[in-house]
Amino acid sequence: MSGVGVGPYAELTIDAEGDVDGASRDAVARLDVTDLLVFAHGWNSDRSTATRLYDRFFAPFPRLVGPGVRLGYVGVVWPSMRFSDEPIPDFDTPGVLAEPGHGSGLDPQTRRALGALWPGRAAELDRVAELLAQRPDSEGAFAEFGALVRELVGLDGVPAGAAAAGVPAMFSADVLEVCRVFTDGLAEAGGAAEEGDEGDGGDGGDGGGGQPSLSVGNGLRRLWKGGKEVLRQATYYEMKKRAGVVGERGLGPALVHVSRGRPELRVHLVGHSFGARAVSFALRAVPDGWGFVKSLTLLQGAFSHYAFADQLPHDKGRGGALRGLQRRVDGPVVACHSEHDSALKVFYPLASRMAGDSAGFAGFDARWGAIGHSGVQAVPGAPRLTLDAALRDGLPAGGCVSVDAASVVRRGGAPTGAHSDICHEELARLVVAAGRMWR
C-alpha cells in the first residue's frame, strides 16, 4: 500500500509550517522495532518521487543490519516541489521527465508544481511561463520578469536595483546582472545552449571586459536561461526556509514525543539535499542529555559547511547555525560530499551569496560552500575519509566526519549533476556503520 518494499514502514507527514500529522506520528510510535531509520527527502521531490526514493534507498538494509536489530523505516513527507526537467540517475521512468525542447520554458509538470507552491498566483505564473518561452530581447521584459518573481516570493514592494536590508540580492539587484550570473553558472555546470542562441543579435560578444554585453540586440535572449534559473532559485529560497521549519518545529518535536514513550528506541536520521537540512535542524528540538539519536547521515546536504562550527573563520564573533549540536547525537554526524554535485558546487554558492549574507554577490570564497560539496569545515578534529576507507576501517564513535562519496555519487545531467545520485548500497552500508546496526 505504501509503495515501499521494506517493512515495517510508516510515513511521517509534516506541513509547510512544521505541523505534524498526529495520525502519522502515532503510526511511527507503534512500530515494534529496536531501531528507527528516518529519511527526509530533498527539495526537488514531489510525493511520488519521495516514495520511490525511499523504496530504492531502503531496499538493501534488511540484508545489511545484524540479527539483533529490528529495523523500522520512516519516510518523512514534507511539501517541496520538483522541476521535472532534472533527471535522477537510474530512477526516472518514461513519462516522468519533461519532454525535451522546453529549453528556458516551463514544462507542464513544472508549471503545475509551481502552482502548488504558490497557490492563487496563476496569472503571475502564466506570464512568467510566457516570458521564459518567448525570450523577448527586451530590457523591459526582464524588468517585468524580475517584478513577477519578487511578487511570487512576497517581496513585491522591493524595486529592482534597490539594496534592501534582509532582502536577497537575487531579488533586489539588477535583474539583467542576476540573470547573467546564473547564465554563466549554467555554462559552468554544463548546461546546453538554447536552440537559436547563436546569431541572436551577436549574443556571444562581450563588451571588452570579458563578459557578454547586456545591451539590447546584443545577447539578451541568451539570458533567459539564467532567468529560468532565477525562478528555480526562488523556489530554493522558499524551500531553504521551509526545510529548517520542518526540522525544528516538526520532525524534532515528533521524535522527542516518540522517544519520551520509548526511551530505549534508537533513532538514525538520514537526509538528502534540503532534507539533510531538515534532519539537522531537528536537533534543535532535542533536549541536551537525551541520547536517542544515534547517528545523523547527510547525503549531499544543501546547507553551509560551517553549520556545526563554534566559530566562523570569516567572523570570529559568530558560530554556525547548528553550532555544537553534533553533541546531541550519540554517535557520528556523517557528511557525504561529492565534487560531481553541480547543484552544490555551482548553484548553492551563487544562491547563498545572493541571499543577503553580504553586501554583494560578485566573486567566490569559502564562506559560501555547501556541506554536500566540501564536507564539514571549521570543526577541529573532524576527520576526512574516503568512502572506501570509511567502509573498510569504520567511522569515529562521535562528532563530525566528512566522507568523500564521489566514487559513487558521480552521475547526472545538467544543471544539477550528481546531486540526486544517492541510491547506492555503499551509502546504505555507511548508514549502517554510522548507527552501529551490524550487531
Side-chain angles (χ1 to χ4, degrees):
M1 292 291 293
S2 69
V4 174
V6 298
Y9 171 79
E11 284 186 352
L12 182 63
T13 304
I14 306 174
D15 70 16
E17 285 71 45
D19 292 328
V20 178
D21 175 75
S24 69
R25 183 191 61 196
D26 293 344
V28 171
R30 288 194 298 268
L31 295 179
D32 182 19
V33 295
T34 61
D35 294 68
L36 274 184
L37 181 58
V38 181
F39 193 159
H41 63 79
W43 75 305
N44 197 37
S45 296
D46 53 22
R47 178 73 174 264
S48 173
T49 305
T51 300
R52 290 185 295 129
L53 169 65
Y54 296 149
D55 180 53
R56 286 283 304 277
F57 190 82
F58 288 152
F61 282 89
R63 65 176 182 272
L64 297 178
V65 300
V69 175
R70 297 196 316 276
L71 186 59
Y73 305 86
V74 176
V76 180
V77 177
W78 60 281
S80 62
M81 71 150 289
R82 185 175 186 200
F83 272 77
S84 62
D85 57 351
E86 294 185 8
I88 299 175
D90 297 334
F91 194 81
D92 288 307
T93 55
V96 172
L97 290 180
E99 292 296 322
H102 285 284
S104 63
L106 299 179
D107 65 276
Q109 293 181 72
T110 298
R111 171 61 185 83
R112 286 193 294 270
L114 290 168
L117 176 64
W118 289 308
R121 295 294 188 135
E124 292 91 336
L125 287 168
D126 286 345
R127 180 55 179 158
V128 164
E130 183 178 32
L131 289 168
L132 289 173
Q134 294 178 352
R135 300 189 300 144
D137 196 2
S138 159
E139 290 185 3
F142 277 94
E144 180 187 4
F145 173 78
L148 288 166
V149 172
R150 287 193 296 277
E151 285 187 47
L152 292 171
V153 297
L155 298 172
D156 44 306
V158 179
V167 176
M170 75 175 89
F171 306 128
S172 61
D174 178 75
V175 65
L176 285 175
E177 175 64 6
V178 173
C179 289
R180 183 195 64 76
V181 169
F182 280 123
T183 298
D184 291 347
L186 285 166
E188 182 179 347
E194 183 79 13
E195 182 180 354
D197 274 350
E198 293 77 9
D200 270 345
D203 58 20
D206 65 49
Q211 300 291 355
S213 170
L214 300 182
S215 63
V216 175
N218 197 33
L220 293 189
R221 294 197 73 199
R222 68 181 291 274
L223 300 186
W224 285 107
K225 288 183 71 70
K228 183 177 181 179
E229 191 59 35
V230 169
L231 183 64
R232 193 191 309 267
Q233 294 302 326
T235 70
Y236 160 100
Y237 175 71
E238 296 288 323
M239 291 302 109
K240 179 179 180 179
K241 294 184 295 181
R242 184 175 294 180
V245 170
V246 164
E248 183 173 0
R249 300 183 189 174
L251 177 59
L255 294 175
V256 169
H257 175 86
V258 171
S259 177
R260 186 176 286 116
R262 301 178 59 186
E264 78 288 352
L265 187 67
R266 295 159 44 93
V267 174
H268 311 278
L269 299 177
V270 181
H272 169 238
S273 187
F274 277 143
R277 179 179 172 88
V279 295
S280 297
F281 272 69
L283 297 177
R284 286 183 167 182
V286 176
D288 287 328
W290 288 42
F292 69 90
V293 178
K294 300 299 182 181
S295 66
L296 173 63
T297 305
L298 311 174
L299 304 175
Q300 303 311 114
F303 61 101
S304 172
H305 57 195
Y306 294 137
F308 293 100
D310 287 331
Q311 188 178 71
L312 301 179
H314 54 278
D315 186 348
K316 302 298 185 182
R318 295 172 54 213
L322 302 171
R323 60 184 299 175
L325 290 189
Q326 65 269 30
R327 301 180 186 97
R328 295 186 181 177
V329 179
D330 185 23
V333 173
V334 183
C336 295
H337 58 97
S338 172
E339 64 179 351
H340 306 299
D341 186 333
S342 300
L344 300 184
K345 179 180 181 180
V346 178
F347 294 107
Y348 179 89
L350 281 178
S352 294
R353 69 178 182 255
M354 288 187 179
D357 295 327
S358 75
F361 57 80
F364 172 80
D365 61 52
R367 81 182 70 180
W368 310 117
I371 200 168
H373 177 254
S374 46
V376 175
Q377 300 288 326
V379 175
R384 305 184 69 83
L385 307 174
T386 65
L387 180 58
D388 287 345
L391 294 177
R392 181 185 66 244
D393 304 327
L395 294 163
C400 294
V401 55
S402 301
V403 175
D404 185 347
S407 59
V408 296
V409 181
R410 59 182 303 110
R411 294 177 303 139
T416 57
H419 185 61
S420 296
D421 187 19
I422 60 168
C423 291
H424 297 281
E425 182 170 321
E426 292 90 341
L427 297 181
R429 291 169 55 201
L430 190 69
V431 173
V432 169
R436 302 178 293 284
M437 288 187 281
W438 52 76
R439 58 182 172 78

